[in-house]
Amino acid sequence: MNLYKYISEKLNSTLGFEVKLEVPRNREFGDFSTNAAMVMAKSAGKNPRELAGEIMEKISKLDFVESASIAGPGFINIFVKNEFLWDAVQTSANLTQTTTPMVIDMDYGAYNVAKSLHIGHMRTSIVGDVLYRLGRAIGHKMISYNHIGDWGRPMGLVIAWIEKLHPDWPFFQNNFDPKGDYSSYTIDPRELDTYYPKSSAYAKENDEFMLHAQVITAELQHGNPGYTALYNIFLPIALASMDRTIKSLNIVPFDNDLGERNAAKYTDVVEKILRDKNLIEQSDGAEVVIVKRDDDKKPMPPVMFYNSRGAVTYDATDIMALYYRKKTDNPDKVIYLTDKRQSLHFEQLFRVAELLQMFPADALEHIGYGTLNGPDNKPFKTRDGNVAELNDIIEMVQTAARDRIKESGKTLDDETVDNIALAALKFNDLSHDLRADYIFDPTQITSFEGRTGPYILYTAVRLNSVLRRAGKFTNPSHINLGTDERNLIMELLDFDRTVTAAFESRATDLVANYAYDLCQLINTFYHNCPILRDDVDSETKNQRLTLVKITVDVLTKTLDLMGLKIPNEM
């Protein structure tokens, strides 16, 4: 139940105008408050406190209102009845389904074939997965795309590097037989991971090698049989490596691992549409689409469709990918999640989509996330100054978690340690504004205290332990809610609103910080309100156990939305 929405709608209906409902920081003043009287006083020609008295009289008659009072120049504070809150909280783990379900394509991940997933892929993977889960949870049809880099220059560089290492392989011979058996040719995944960085570095020093890689790229795109056969050997090796990393992050498998190669199939049809609309122009041997507008105040370069060697560009494959999604999914919205430094690229892409009348402007959305920085507040690097691989980051956090556990004198199995490390890594990423830069410190995020993932997992484990020790219990025949119970219930009843708001505002930090706030309140409740102590009467015990069970249900759903797993012990 979305308590905030329910009460807002009831007040609006009763008063005949829209009320802005607020939640006081200090709940001693009320569960909710409104400044409606102050806003409406001028148009009504009345003193704010006088109008507040009239409004309060109407509000007081609502069946869920325990009391209402006026404060200051005309604020109205509202307390909700205990019985109403208790009935409402029983279903607080249920999420209200949207009344306007949409088909939403989400493009995140964007992994590159033959390149190890690195720290730059962490936020797109973790945040993209949570936004996907949130949208699905409230009733949208979510379709996820891992737009793989599998068709551009990196492929040419990798093939050129393999040729440099194995010039005698049949894929590089003029008499290559496409029907031959090449199953004996394979590449170790760890070795494959080194090919792109080595070839890229070599190409910067060797113009001839770079030119050869560019030629290979164009020939691969035009169906060279030898290059295609070799590509089909290393592609599944690279995809399997990506899949292992995705599983280690407990990310929902992508609905579609379709990247540039799939998009390139639609080159001819998209090119024809562009030419029919006279949108393609020649530019220094390349073919481009002009997207600059007369009212632009900033530089807006054209979108390159073909480069000067006739190869399809990265920009062009995104246009074709949009065309493919329009034809297959016909989505109401397409959301891209990438590093914020790609904002210009997506502004260009969206302008092309408008020129093609493929999607209206409001159907396309780019979310640019911030940089993950080290303790020195500079982009996180390894000790040797290189970009950190994602698997190394995961292992780094796992090591920090093991050290923490060892310091505490506990002995936990590897699966539990991995779950704790996963919570540390993902909660730290999700609890920050995704559009902002943030500090990544493995030692700090693995703490069992403070605003961390392990603290939240520990709370869930503790609550489950209480329920196991309690055994069977029944709902209380009457309720008696104190301050701690009411504060906890109000937070539980904010779950529904939080999930909807998090998706609609693309703010995963709302869910992460909700989990932390809920844990703070249940731990305060646990400390102040004994549950299993011998001197606690059965009715009180049943009431408190019921609240613990409801909290576990809500917290479990919240953690599932973040892709976290609750261990059996900690």
Side-chain angles (χ1 to χ4, degrees):
M1 177 188 188
N2 187 331
L3 181 65
Y4 181 94
K5 182 180 179 183
Y6 176 86
I7 291 180
S8 291
E9 290 176 348
K10 288 292 184 180
L11 291 180
N12 293 344
S13 175
T14 298
L15 300 176
F17 57 86
E18 190 168 330
V19 173
K20 182 181 179 182
L21 199 62
E22 297 178 356
V23 178
R25 291 185 179 179
N26 188 340
R27 291 198 183 274
E28 291 181 5
F29 297 128
D31 298 318
F32 297 98
S33 67
T34 177
N35 64 349
M38 300 165 66
V39 173
M40 300 297 294
K42 187 174 181 180
S43 60
K46 295 182 178 181
N47 176 278
R49 281 190 67 90
E50 177 189 353
L51 184 57
E54 297 175 11
I55 292 175
M56 187 181 70
E57 186 177 344
K58 294 181 179 180
I59 290 176
S60 298
K61 294 177 181 178
L62 291 168
D63 58 2
F64 59 83
V65 173
E66 178 67 35
S67 65
S69 61
I70 303 172
F75 287 102
I76 301 172
N77 293 322
I78 304 167
F79 279 102
V80 181
K81 289 179 178 178
N82 284 344
E83 293 78 8
F84 179 87
L85 292 178
W86 184 258
D87 289 342
V89 81
Q90 305 304 312
T91 57
S92 55
N94 299 341
L95 291 171
T96 303
Q97 299 298 284
T98 178
T99 56
T100 55
M102 293 187 289
V103 176
I104 301 176
D105 282 4
M106 277 204 64
D107 184 323
Y108 56 100
Y111 308 147
N112 297 301
V113 169
K115 292 171 67 176
S116 296
L117 272 62
H118 55 73
I119 198 166
H121 292 113
M122 194 173 93
R123 299 205 81 180
T124 181
S125 303
I126 293 173
V127 173
D129 177 63
V130 172
L131 287 174
Y132 175 89
R133 291 171 186 256
L134 291 172
R136 187 175 60 178
I138 62 175
H140 295 297
K141 181 180 180 181
M142 307 297 294
I143 304 174
S144 60
Y145 280 87
N146 178 16
H147 186 72
I148 306 171
D150 60 354
W151 203 233
R153 185 184 297 176
M155 299 302 96
L157 285 167
V158 169
I159 293 172
W161 189 255
I162 296 174
E163 182 181 17
K164 186 175 185 299
L165 296 174
H166 307 285
D168 58 324
W169 279 13
F171 313 103
F172 309 112
Q173 312 309 318
N174 292 329
N175 61 347
F176 176 78
D177 179 8
K179 297 180 180 179
D181 179 9
Y182 303 104
S183 57
S184 61
Y185 293 88
T186 186
I187 304 169
D188 183 274
R190 290 166 294 184
E191 185 181 351
L192 179 60
D193 283 344
T194 68
Y195 286 176
Y196 177 73
K198 286 182 177 179
S199 63
S200 182
Y202 186 68
K204 291 177 181 177
E205 302 171 355
N206 190 307
D207 292 340
E208 185 178 348
F209 180 82
M210 174 62 87
L211 179 61
H212 183 50
Q214 290 171 340
V215 171
I216 288 176
T217 301
E219 290 189 10
L220 173 67
Q221 292 179 357
H222 287 94
N224 179 290
Y227 298 153
T228 300
L230 179 57
Y231 173 90
N232 288 333
I233 287 174
F234 68 72
L235 177 65
I237 297 171
L239 291 177
S241 178
M242 293 177 195
D243 189 55
R244 284 191 292 273
T245 304
I246 290 170
K247 287 180 179 176
S248 70
L249 287 173
N250 193 32
I251 289 172
V252 176
F254 288 97
D255 297 313
N256 300 282
D257 284 305
L258 294 174
E260 296 167 348
R261 185 186 191 184
N262 179 72
K265 297 176 184 177
Y266 302 91
T267 300
D268 292 344
V269 64
V270 172
E271 179 184 350
K272 183 177 186 307
I273 296 171
L274 287 166
R275 293 195 188 282
D276 287 348
K277 293 180 176 290
N278 296 317
L279 292 173
I280 290 184
E281 299 184 15
Q282 297 289 324
S283 177
D284 296 327
E287 294 192 285
V288 303
V289 179
I290 305 298
V291 293
K292 182 175 175 59
R293 296 169 179 165
D294 293 340
D295 58 350
D296 281 334
K297 306 296 184 186
K298 61 182 179 181
M300 183 56 61
V303 174
M304 186 180 295
F305 195 83
Y306 288 119
N307 65 21
S308 58
R309 291 179 178 81
V312 174
T313 66
Y314 168 79
D315 291 341
T317 55
D318 260 347
I319 300 171
M320 273 86 84
L322 258 185
Y323 175 84
Y324 168 79
R325 294 168 194 176
K326 178 69 175 179
K327 290 296 181 182
T328 54
D329 304 335
N330 192 25
D332 301 295
K333 186 172 280 290
V334 183
I335 301 172
Y336 296 86
L337 179 66
T338 73
D339 187 306
K340 61 186 177 184
R341 288 172 291 189
Q342 292 195 44
S343 59
L344 174 60
H345 164 72
F346 285 100
E347 188 172 358
Q348 292 173 298
L349 173 64
F350 297 170
R351 289 190 179 193
V352 173
E354 283 188 73
L355 289 171
L356 293 176
Q357 298 179 319
M358 196 183 298
F359 286 97
D362 61 357
L364 303 174
E365 178 182 348
H366 173 238
I367 307 170
Y369 54 80
T371 306
L372 190 151
N373 296 332
D376 58 357
N377 205 26
K378 295 180 180 179
F380 193 92
K381 301 278 187 179
T382 59
R383 289 181 179 178
D384 58 8
N386 293 321
V387 175
E389 292 187 4
L390 184 49
N391 286 330
D392 291 340
I393 293 293
I394 295 170
E395 185 177 343
M396 192 183 303
V397 178
Q398 288 172 340
T399 299
R402 284 190 178 87
D403 291 343
R404 284 278 187 184
I405 293 164
K406 188 176 181 180
E407 289 171 7
S408 70
K410 297 179 179 180
T411 301
L412 300 174
D413 60 51
D414 289 342
E415 183 180 357
T416 299
V417 174
D418 290 348
N419 286 340
I420 292 169
L422 185 69
L425 181 70
K426 295 179 80 168
F427 179 83
N428 186 52
D429 193 63
L430 294 167
S431 61
H432 293 87
D433 179 351
L434 69 90
R435 296 164 181 83
D437 301 343
Y438 77 90
I439 301 295
F440 174 72
D441 183 348
T443 303
Q444 186 275 325
I445 67 176
T446 51
S447 173
F448 279 51
E449 299 176 352
R451 193 179 290 270
T452 68
Y455 166 77
I456 292 171
L457 285 195
Y458 180 74
T459 300
V461 169
R462 185 190 212 181
L463 297 178
N464 280 328
S465 175
V466 170
L467 293 176
R468 281 197 300 270
R469 285 185 286 129
K472 292 182 179 180
F473 62 92
T474 59
N475 287 328
S477 57
H478 66 273
I479 59 169
N480 180 24
L481 304 182
T483 300
D484 292 318
E485 287 96 339
R486 283 183 62 89
N487 288 343
L488 178 59
I489 288 172
M490 292 300 291
E491 189 69 20
L492 290 166
L493 286 170
D494 206 33
F495 173 61
D496 192 4
R497 184 188 67 84
T498 299
V499 170
T500 299
F503 180 74
E504 291 181 348
S505 59
R506 318 293 189 245
T508 55
D509 57 306
L510 292 181
V511 173
N513 290 315
Y514 172 83
Y516 174 76
D517 292 342
L518 181 59
C519 287
Q520 287 282 83
L521 285 167
I522 189 63
N523 281 323
T524 298
F525 166 80
Y526 182 85
H527 177 77
N528 294 337
C529 304
I531 301 173
L532 301 180
R533 219 165 60 188
D534 292 341
D535 61 343
V536 179
D537 65 84
S538 60
E539 278 294 280
T540 302
K541 183 182 296 185
N542 286 340
Q543 177 181 294
R544 291 173 181 174
L545 283 170
T546 300
L547 278 179
V548 170
K549 177 63 171 66
I550 293 169
T551 303
V552 166
D553 291 344
V554 171
L555 185 56
T556 300
K557 277 200 171 183
T558 307
L559 292 174
D560 183 64
L561 288 170
M562 293 190 284
L564 303 183
K565 302 175 182 178
I566 302 173
N568 291 324
E569 61 175 336
M570 277 180 70

